[in-house]
Amino acid sequence: MNDCTLDVRVIPNAPRSEVVGWHGGALKVKVHAPALEGRANEELCEFLAGELGLPKRDVTLMRGAKSRQKVLRIAGLASEDVRRRFDG
């Protein structure tokens, strides 16, 4: 089974959760949740799991819990598959 890491730039408190696109090698994602008590991190993982068609448990935060720059672990997909999914 393939696993990969994904660099993400997060913007909390957005009107709705959405993938904006690639920004300097990181996936830029807006999340509706505020950056309080880990809510934005939870929504980010849940939202991206849904976008990738994966269970919530397959998208986990590795680094950046209190930063807008984060590194996520994606279980079950290779990095090429993740990039292809968000390229167009």
Side-chain angles (χ1 to χ4, degrees):
M1 190 180 250
N2 295 321
D3 289 358
C4 68
T5 59
L6 177 64
D7 293 328
V8 180
R9 172 101 174 129
V10 181
I11 293 102
N13 277 330
R16 67 181 183 278
S17 295
E18 65 181 324
V19 173
V20 177
W22 295 98
H23 184 300
L27 186 65
K28 191 172 184 181
V29 180
K30 293 180 179 179
V31 293
H32 180 67
L36 293 172
E37 301 167 357
R39 286 190 275 176
N41 291 335
E42 279 182 37
E43 184 166 328
L44 172 67
C45 292
E46 189 172 325
F47 172 71
L48 287 180
E51 291 291 301
L52 293 166
L54 297 170
K56 283 192 301 188
R57 68 179 179 274
D58 286 351
V59 179
T60 54
L61 181 66
M62 291 178 60
R63 285 193 302 273
K66 296 188 182 221
S67 171
R68 289 183 183 220
Q69 293 290 126
K70 301 182 185 300
V71 178
L72 301 179
R73 181 180 161 275
I74 312 291
L77 289 176
S79 58
E80 306 85 47
D81 298 328
V82 173
R83 183 166 275 285
R84 191 174 19 246
R85 172 62 182 90
F86 293 118
D87 270 348

